[in-house]
Amino acid sequence: MVQQRLFLPLMLLMSACVAGSPEPTDPRPPNPDPAHNSRLSLDWEGTYRGILPCADCPGIETVITLTADGTYLRTVRYLEREDGYRRDQGEFEWNEAGSLVTLGDGEDSQRYQVGENRLFFLDRQGKRIEGALAENYVLVKDLTDPRLESRDWVLTELMGKPVSLPEGQPAPSLRFDPSTGRVSGSDGCNRLMGSYRLFERDRIEFGQLAGTLMACPDMTLPDRFRDMLGKVGDYAISDGELSLFKGRMAILARFRESPASME
């Protein structure tokens, strides 16, 4: 488990932001029902993000991923600071009522209330922030799309032309993992991995992609495929076909769902 001593300063900065705010309230119900708590009744697995208040910077860009195996990945970036990036990962713990999670341990621990597609930042007493700044202490879960995610997509058309593969070369493919916000696959030569994010109205954004560095006999298709992914802004799905667009105008690529992911 990797831990960094970064969240004590974070708590101190946020405490300064809420000084003078109305007394926060305890988020736990007086008699929690074990069968209907956040842990059991909500689809909490996924990635949450937001910009939290900061006493001496424009904000703290925070991204937290919670996974079903009880582990988390957390990154924070203090805006307009050269050395303001921090990252930690490890196991998170639920409280007995199944309503709160604790990330980290000791002085670096931080508690969040788990709501419907929300994580609510809690103060040192484990209470929600109230008052004018309350909405600023909320991380919002990334959108998911079961039509797109947890499926294997194989490239059939690129820039308006059917994909023609040299003998022995696999077709480029993609798979989107909603639990981590990560995309993986192949460009037809090298494995690809990176991040993605979904937005309303079937918009999509790929983050920085990395991959292996094999040199295949013909790199034309792999190079064009990676270049295409950097231009994508929208997608559509119909009858088992995924189309990637640039600005809803030009179709950059088409994919068919792999039969293996339909089983």
Side-chain angles (χ1 to χ4, degrees):
M1 179 167 64
V2 178
Q3 296 287 348
Q4 298 181 15
R5 297 184 59 80
L6 67 150
F7 292 99
L8 180 58
L10 178 65
M11 287 294 298
L12 292 175
L13 284 170
M14 292 184 173
S15 297
C17 290
V18 298
S21 299
E23 182 69 21
T25 57
D26 192 332
R28 295 168 296 181
N31 295 298
D33 182 351
H36 297 87
N37 58 31
S38 298
R39 183 177 187 178
L40 297 179
S41 62
L42 296 182
D43 181 20
W44 50 264
E45 182 183 6
T47 298
Y48 301 77
R49 68 184 72 224
I51 298 179
L52 301 175
C54 176
D56 61 357
C57 69
I60 305 170
E61 186 177 67
T62 304
V63 181
I64 295 174
T65 297
L66 302 179
T67 60
D69 64 1
T71 60
Y72 73 89
L73 172 63
R74 171 174 50 180
T75 62
V76 300
R77 185 169 67 91
Y78 291 77
L79 301 180
E80 298 185 4
R81 286 190 186 176
E82 292 184 359
D83 60 345
Y85 179 81
R86 303 288 188 274
R87 178 182 185 273
D88 78 323
Q89 62 188 49
E91 298 179 354
F92 65 88
E93 295 183 357
W94 288 92
N95 68 338
E96 185 176 352
S99 60
L100 312 179
V101 292
T102 300
L103 279 60
D105 51 29
E107 293 181 339
D108 293 335
S109 67
Q110 174 58 47
R111 286 180 287 182
Y112 296 86
Q113 180 187 3
V114 180
E116 184 73 38
N117 298 321
R118 299 286 191 275
L119 287 183
F120 298 92
F121 184 94
L122 303 180
D123 67 11
R124 291 182 178 180
Q125 287 72 48
K127 298 178 180 180
R128 287 260 295 270
I129 307 300
E130 288 195 334
L133 295 177
E135 293 185 359
N136 297 330
Y137 287 88
V138 180
L139 304 180
V140 179
K141 187 180 179 183
D142 285 352
L143 293 178
T144 60
D145 186 345
R147 302 174 305 157
L148 172 72
E149 296 165 313
S150 301
R151 301 172 186 269
D152 296 305
W153 298 99
V154 179
L155 184 71
T156 59
E157 180 183 304
L158 183 63
M159 307 304 289
K161 297 182 179 179
V163 173
S164 178
L165 298 170
E167 184 177 355
Q169 181 173 335
S173 61
L174 296 173
R175 183 178 179 87
F176 302 87
D177 185 346
S179 66
T180 62
R182 305 286 293 176
V183 59
S184 60
S186 167
D187 62 11
C189 176
N190 288 285
R191 285 178 291 144
L192 292 176
M193 62 208 78
S195 62
Y196 73 95
R197 188 178 178 188
L198 303 182
F199 300 87
E200 294 182 351
R201 298 184 179 181
D202 292 346
R203 291 183 294 121
I204 186 171
E205 177 182 279
F206 288 94
Q208 185 174 1
L209 299 175
T212 53
L213 299 174
M214 293 173 50
C216 294
D218 186 351
M219 293 295 294
T220 302
L221 177 60
D223 288 344
R224 293 179 64 208
F225 183 73
R226 291 195 305 273
D227 181 66
M228 176 275 299
L229 292 176
K231 301 175 182 177
V232 173
D234 304 88
Y235 70 95
I237 298 173
S238 178
D239 296 327
E241 182 178 81
L242 165 66
S243 300
L244 299 180
F245 299 86
K246 180 180 180 180
R248 285 289 180 191
M249 299 297 290
I251 298 180
L252 301 177
R254 297 183 193 271
F255 299 75
R256 293 297 299 181
E257 184 177 359
S258 169
S261 67
M262 300 180 188
E263 296 177 356

